[in-house]
Amino acid sequence: DWSIVHCAIRNTRQKPAKPVLKHLFDRRHEFNLNIGNFLELTLIIIFDETLETFEIVLEWALESEFEISEVNSNGENILHLACRNVPEAALFMFECSDENKFGLDRKVLASMAKTRNNYDELPIDILKRRMFPKTRIEKLTSELEKYTESAL
């Protein structure tokens, strides 16, 4: 049950500049487009592996009042998936929260950071065992530790 947005995201492999996705996003109000299931979109974004696609879909999802903290059948939310596959996207979520960008609520983000998946893993646990370059990962680890330990 894929929407036109799903297809536009998949189209980014053939057209890395994302003209179809950007066009749909720019005209979303005019066409009253529904982005579909947020977790399904997240999985597609993970395979796209670009922060730009994630930014577009996250803004669209928050604007559409999607429940971004929902979990999949493995008990994982978008933060688990981002820490595993696109840590820049996870860091982007924390930056959006700090800047109050797109209305991303710090309490929701804190709840997601404290959510354990079916394997009893927090997003930070997943991040720590991945082999990503250390530069911004250290900042993300620091943010996750802050959110996991706090009582926001």
Side-chain angles (χ1 to χ4, degrees), residues 30-54:
E30 181 180 339
F31 295 136
N32 194 25
L33 291 171
N34 181 347
I35 65 172
N37 181 295
F38 184 59
L39 273 177
E40 285 177 16
L41 282 174
T42 303
L43 291 172
I44 294 169
I45 294 164
I46 297 303
F47 292 117
D48 179 59
E49 295 183 350
T50 64
L51 184 57
E52 184 180 26
T53 301
F54 182 82

Side-chain angles (χ1 to χ4, degrees), residues 78-111:
I78 189 172
L79 197 51
H80 287 90
L81 298 171
C83 285
R84 177 176 294 111
N85 299 289
V86 189
E88 287 287 330
L91 185 55
F92 177 74
M93 291 174 66
F94 286 104
E95 290 170 348
C96 285
S97 176
D98 288 344
E99 298 168 9
N100 199 23
K101 191 173 183 179
F102 312 138
L104 184 58
D105 189 321
R106 292 181 66 91
K107 290 179 183 175
V108 171
L109 203 51
S111 172

